[in-house]
Amino acid sequence: MQILSTDHAPAAVGPYSQAVRTGNLLFCAGMLPLVPSVMKIEATEIEGQTRQVLTNIQAVLNAAGLTLANVVKSTVFLKDLGDFAKMNALYAEAFGSHKPPRSTVQVAKLPLDALVEIEVIAEYPA
């Protein structure tokens, strides 16, 4: 098992790692819309927060030598499923034609009162 991290994504806000590689899989922690340089959520609307979360995920994947095209599963946590369409449009734009399986759930509350959190599992090429 190998723990991976990058300064280009938010540092963990608890006792966990940004990502862990085991075998040919990379398990990424749920990413919040924190701006890494200030460790604060700057965007107040779902679009800005979703963009930041996707940027943070890409930074962790890139540090691991991967891209969104290597994602094999994702889970989206939304504070309000009413934001689904707006989040989904940005998610679809980021992933393009790559469409890994995904679960999306509404939760009562997210850390730091975020509107969205996304976690991914990615696979290294054989």
Side-chain angles (χ1 to χ4, degrees):
M1 180 173 72
Q2 177 186 9
I3 294 173
L4 300 166
S5 66
T6 177
D7 292 338
H8 298 290
V13 295
Y16 61 88
S17 303
Q18 288 175 334
V20 172
R21 179 180 182 173
T22 182
N24 67 336
L25 295 177
L26 183 75
F27 294 87
C28 296
M31 287 289 138
L32 293 171
L34 291 164
V35 175
S37 60
V38 294
M39 286 299 292
K40 291 184 181 179
I41 297 173
E42 293 184 345
T44 58
E45 80 294 336
I46 190 66
E47 295 93 343
Q49 288 196 17
T50 300
R51 281 187 194 94
Q52 187 62 56
V53 167
L54 291 166
T55 296
N56 293 342
I57 289 169
Q58 289 171 328
V60 172
L61 291 172
N62 290 342
L66 301 171
T67 69
L68 289 175
N70 299 103
V71 172
V72 295
K73 170 71 171 81
S74 68
T75 305
V76 178
F77 304 93
L78 288 173
K79 184 175 179 181
D80 181 355
L81 273 176
D83 288 332
F84 179 84
K86 291 176 182 177
M87 175 284 300
N88 196 51
L90 294 165
Y91 181 99
E93 180 181 308
F95 277 86
S97 63
H98 180 58
K99 294 179 171 78
R102 179 182 81 188
S103 303
T104 303
V105 296
Q106 179 174 308
V107 295
K109 188 168 181 153
L110 288 167
L112 306 175
D113 289 324
L115 301 177
V116 61
E117 179 177 358
I118 301 173
E119 66 181 23
V120 299
I121 300 170
E123 183 178 35
Y124 285 87

